[in-house]
């Protein structure tokens, strides 16, 4: 994993956006894996700015989101459909037909999950997956103990994740217990992965994912096995990394063209 520590979440998000923009310019029909939550918001804002001010074109891009809450209609304000529309798709030109988000109202969830996997494969596989990380180490909603080979399926959220996400709902009790999420294996099949983590609350999960053993108890730790995984952090998220000075030094030594 390449560890990139930046002075702020804004700076890390700008670097991440530059990386995504370069991919989209080089491969206009790129297949992007997208995340929700607070973490990618600044990255999405910067991509929207690049679309508006620099003409970054998403008209041939295809997207697949990581996850959705089971039981929430796309119109529910806390659904990830609504989140993505409000924070991303409403502001740039990805055609609706190229946007894929798991259907929280699917009546036959296993069939829906298989179809989601098939759609990713038929599109040609994910070129780049954007990830946040849960305070318990989850990626997508693959909670600790998730199979590291898992594919898109239904998962039960931990009480910790339900508490973390309660801020998006009217009350803690209304956070759904179940989600549909890409599996760890689905994420690992992406040709590149960008993991973003900001704030001290993520410091422990990041330290165990990056410097701990690979374990299903911290699903993000499997990214150590990914050939092209970049981990973009702000200073607070990097505080528990024992080799943070080394990671900073490595990044500073890189030629400009290689700095994401
Ligand atoms: C979101 C997702 C989750 C979040 C994680 C961090 O689609 O899959 O893994 O990335 O829960 O959430 P935030 O960014 O809100 O701290």
């Amino acid at each position: 994993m390449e560890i990139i520590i930046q002075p702020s979440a804004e700076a890390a998000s700008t670097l991440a956006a530059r990386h995504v923009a370069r991919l989209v310019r080089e491969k206009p029909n790129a297949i992007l894996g997208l995340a929700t939550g607070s973490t990618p918001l600044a990255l999405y804002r910067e991509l929207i700015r690049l679309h508006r001010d620099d003409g970054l074109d998403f008209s041939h891009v295809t997207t697949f989101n990581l996850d959705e809450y089971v039981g929430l209609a796309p119109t529910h304000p806390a659904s990830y459909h609504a989140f993505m529309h409000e924070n991303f798709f409403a502001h740039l030109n990805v055609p609706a037909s190229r946007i894929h988000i798991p259907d929280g109202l699917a009546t036959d969830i296993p069939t829906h999950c298989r179809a989601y996997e098939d759609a990713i494969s038929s599109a040609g596989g994910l070129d780049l997956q954007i990830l946040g990380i849960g305070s318990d180490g989850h990626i997508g909603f693959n909670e600790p103990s998730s199979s590291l080979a898992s594919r898109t399926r239904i998962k039960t959220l931990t009480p910790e994740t339900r508490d973390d996400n309660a801020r998006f709902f009217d009350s803690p009790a209304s956070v759904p217990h179940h989600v549909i999420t890409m599996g760890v294996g689905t994420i690992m099949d992406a040709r590149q992965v960008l993991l973003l983590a900001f704030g001290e609350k993520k410091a422990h999960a990041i330290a165990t994912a990056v410097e701990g053993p690979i374990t299903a108890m911290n699903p993000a730790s499997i990214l150590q096995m990914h050939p092209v995984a970049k981990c973009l952090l702000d200073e607070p998220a990097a505080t528990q990394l024992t080799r943070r000075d080394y990671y900073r030094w490595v990044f500073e030594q890189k030629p400009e063209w290689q700095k994401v």
Side-chain angles (χ1 to χ4, degrees):
M1 240 192 286
E2 183 182 357
I3 315 303
I4 301 170
I5 304 167
Q6 291 289 291
S8 66
E10 280 305 312
S13 301
T14 304
L15 267 194
R18 214 184 289 164
H19 188 72
V20 176
R22 186 161 75 188
L23 170 68
V24 171
R25 287 198 182 97
E26 285 172 5
K27 185 176 180 190
N29 62 347
I31 316 294
L32 301 182
L34 301 178
T36 58
S38 307
T39 305
L41 284 174
L43 158 63
Y44 293 161
R45 278 196 297 272
E46 178 61 7
L47 288 175
I48 291 164
R49 190 194 68 75
L50 289 171
H51 170 68
R52 193 186 56 229
D53 298 346
D54 293 356
L56 184 64
D57 181 20
F58 289 82
S59 63
H60 297 286
V61 164
T62 298
T63 66
F64 287 90
N65 262 82
L66 282 166
D67 36 28
E68 178 58 287
Y69 292 105
V70 169
L72 296 198
T75 49
H76 189 291
S79 74
Y80 286 164
H81 278 77
F83 176 98
M84 289 306 298
H85 182 75
E86 188 180 326
N87 294 296
F88 196 62
F89 296 125
H91 311 283
L92 35 69
N93 63 338
V94 183
S97 60
R98 292 181 178 271
I99 296 171
H100 304 82
I101 304 175
D103 179 3
L105 296 184
T107 44
D108 180 346
I109 290 177
T111 301
H112 178 64
C113 293
R114 275 193 298 278
Y116 203 71
E117 287 280 332
D118 289 347
I120 295 173
S121 305
S122 311
L126 300 169
D127 288 304
L128 172 69
Q129 177 65 55
I130 293 162
L131 294 175
I133 186 171
S135 54
D136 60 5
H138 70 232
I139 48 174
F141 274 131
N142 297 282
E143 297 283 32
S145 85
S146 290
S147 160
L148 298 180
S150 50
R151 312 303 305 189
T152 303
R153 70 212 183 292
I154 188 168
K155 284 294 289 181
T156 305
L157 296 177
T158 60
E160 185 178 349
T161 300
R162 290 187 69 242
D163 283 352
D164 284 349
N165 288 5
R167 66 190 191 281
F168 295 112
F169 289 82
D170 292 341
S171 69
S174 44
V175 182
H177 287 267
H178 296 104
V179 290
I180 294 173
T181 179
M182 279 187 205
V184 180
T186 321
I187 293 167
M188 286 296 284
D189 283 349
R191 287 183 271 281
Q192 295 182 53
V193 175
L194 275 189
L195 171 67
L196 281 71
F198 307 135
E200 208 176 340
K201 198 163 182 222
K202 303 295 174 70
H204 180 69
I206 283 295
T208 47
V210 171
E211 295 180 339
I214 294 173
T215 167
M217 297 317 291
N218 180 322
S221 63
I222 191 65
L223 297 174
Q224 294 175 30
M225 295 291 289
H226 196 286
V228 196
K230 294 181 196 301
C231 177
L232 284 141
L233 308 173
D234 65 359
E235 289 287 349
T239 44
Q240 292 188 34
L241 289 167
T242 58
R243 308 203 69 186
R244 56 187 183 278
D245 290 341
Y246 170 70
Y247 307 135
R248 278 198 201 93
W249 183 84
V250 168
F251 188 67
E252 280 158 18
Q253 304 312 306
K254 280 181 191 283
E256 276 314 309
W257 63 266
Q258 222 194 3
K259 288 189 177 176
V260 183

